[in-house]
């Protein structure tokens, strides 16, 4: 069993062969996935997929890159969707200082509003962080995000910050980069953090693991992530698969 905690099967890259992609994931032992929506179109598609497939759940949120586009109506819509039986988290949300479409102050405000909503509806949150670690940690603390907890998605920071996030009731999710030969930090994080706080993901169609780097990513490849972590931790693949699946089910409240 494998739980891919972050997929974008709602992305246009899967328009032509979605069913084949899902079949390959199932064949590789993927028993659960969370499809993440982050704007109007991808949220609608995430809900559709979650309604169509038993083993797919959805997370809905507003991406920091597009923070400037989020209206009060969008926030109300997220609140409504939080009641949907297949919606298990809010996000991805956070801060992205790599792209400059949305000013930092607007990103922060939209991030804070979504954390407050998550505490109101009692759902965990999925955090997107690009070049913004210090501000993310500060806002998570100030907004008491630990009350709901959640996931540091495709975590790429230091061991020290990972442990700080774990202390705030967050899980650390590792993706394709942990398989890259030059990825020192993700490998250190995989080795160092406790197994009961670890998750695996693909973030497909992005961040494809070795040896498929450069090609489109898909959920079947989450197995490569789990295998790499097993090697780093000196545990069996089965132990990593079982632990990360149980961790995800506990966090998302999936039976
Ligand atoms: Ni993502």
């Amino acid at each position: 069993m494998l739980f891919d905690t972050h997929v974008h099967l709602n992305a246009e890259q899967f328009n032509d062969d979605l069913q084949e992609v899902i079949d390959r994931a199932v064949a590789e032992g993927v028993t659960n996935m969370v499809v993440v929506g982050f704007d109007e179109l991808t949220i609608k598609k995430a809900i559709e997929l979650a309604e169509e497939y038993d083993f797919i759940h959805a997370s809905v949120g507003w991406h920091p890159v597009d923070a400037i586009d989020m209206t009060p109506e969008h926030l109300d819509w997220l609140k409504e969707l939080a009641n949907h039986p297949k919606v298990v988290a809010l996000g991805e949300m956070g801060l992205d200082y790599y792209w400059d479409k949305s000013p930092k102050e607007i990103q922060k405000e939209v991030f804070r509003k979504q954390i407050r909503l998550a505490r109101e509806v009692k759902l965990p949150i999925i955090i997107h962080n690009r070049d913004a670690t210090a501000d993310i940690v500060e806002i998570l603390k100030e907004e008491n995000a630990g009350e709901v907890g959640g996931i540091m998605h495709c975590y790429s920071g230091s061991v020290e910050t990972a442990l700080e996030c774990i202390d705030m009731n967050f899980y650390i999710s590792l993706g394709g980069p942990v398989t890259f030969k030059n990825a020192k930090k993700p490998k250190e994080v995989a080795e160092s953090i406790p197994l009961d706080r670890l998750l695996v993901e693909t973030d497909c169609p992005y961040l494809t693991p070795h040896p498929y780097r450069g090609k489109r990513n898909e959920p079947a490849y989450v197995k490569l992530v789990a295998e790499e972590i097993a090697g780093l931790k000196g545990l069996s693949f089965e132990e990593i698969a079982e632990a990360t699946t149980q961790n995800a089910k506990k966090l998302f409240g999936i039976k």
Side-chain angles (χ1 to χ4, degrees):
M1 54 164 71
L2 283 163
F3 196 134
D4 190 342
T5 61
H6 198 113
V7 303
H8 297 288
L9 291 179
N10 46 355
E12 61 181 6
Q13 286 90 332
F14 295 111
N15 281 354
D16 294 337
D17 61 347
L18 179 65
Q19 189 57 53
E20 289 153 54
V21 167
I22 291 174
D23 291 345
R24 280 197 292 274
V26 171
E28 288 290 344
V30 177
T31 53
N32 297 84
M33 307 180 222
V34 170
V35 179
V36 178
F38 50 78
D39 61 16
E40 263 186 53
L41 185 67
T42 58
I43 288 170
K44 280 180 192 157
K45 278 186 152 184
I47 298 288
E48 280 170 26
L49 286 167
E51 286 175 347
E52 190 175 344
Y53 297 91
D54 276 356
F55 52 92
I56 292 179
H57 288 78
S59 179
V60 297
W62 210 263
H63 203 283
V65 170
D66 301 318
I68 198 164
D69 300 326
M70 194 183 85
T71 64
E73 290 73 29
H74 286 134
L75 197 65
D76 291 343
W77 184 43
L78 293 178
K79 189 176 173 179
E80 238 174 76
L81 290 174
N83 286 317
H84 189 289
K86 296 296 290 284
V87 170
V88 291
L90 294 187
E92 50 195 289
M93 63 175 78
L95 301 173
D96 191 315
Y97 292 169
Y98 181 79
W99 302 104
D100 59 7
K101 177 182 166 185
S102 299
K104 288 183 182 178
E105 287 315 307
I106 292 177
Q107 290 193 35
K108 287 181 184 174
E109 203 44 48
V110 164
F111 184 27
R112 287 182 189 277
K113 282 178 180 164
Q114 291 185 88
I115 297 171
R116 287 170 202 160
L117 174 60
R119 289 180 56 202
E120 190 185 332
V121 300
K122 298 184 169 53
L123 283 179
I125 57 180
I126 298 178
I127 306 296
H128 171 102
N129 169 21
R130 195 159 182 195
D131 304 338
T133 304
D135 286 356
I136 295 239
V137 169
E138 186 184 304
I139 289 175
L140 290 175
K141 281 185 180 151
E142 284 177 6
E143 297 292 339
N144 196 16
E147 190 180 294
V148 288
I151 300 176
M152 304 308 289
H153 136 66
C154 205
Y155 184 79
S156 62
S158 67
V159 171
E160 196 186 5
T161 304
L163 295 173
E164 201 180 348
C165 294
I166 289 170
D167 275 345
M168 283 193 291
N169 194 24
F170 278 77
Y171 288 79
I172 304 299
S173 185
L174 295 174
V178 76
T179 68
F180 300 166
K181 282 198 176 62
N182 58 356
K184 197 164 161 267
K185 277 203 217 159
K187 289 186 199 293
E188 284 173 4
V189 168
E191 285 167 8
S192 308
I193 67 165
L195 189 55
D196 66 356
R197 283 283 148 179
L198 187 64
L199 300 171
V200 289
E201 65 169 87
T202 55
D203 198 23
C204 63
Y206 317 108
L207 297 172
T208 314
H210 176 77
Y212 302 114
R213 202 173 173 181
K215 301 203 177 107
R216 183 187 68 176
N217 199 1
E218 61 176 69
Y221 299 162
V222 76
K223 190 176 186 181
L224 299 166
V225 174
E227 282 172 348
E228 177 70 25
I229 294 171
L232 290 163
K233 274 193 146 2
L235 296 170
S236 69
F237 165 75
E238 287 75 17
E239 285 171 300
I240 296 297
E242 167 79 18
T244 53
T245 299
Q246 293 312 328
N247 292 345
K249 285 186 172 175
K250 186 178 165 198
L251 171 68
F252 292 127
I254 296 171
K255 293 264 155 56

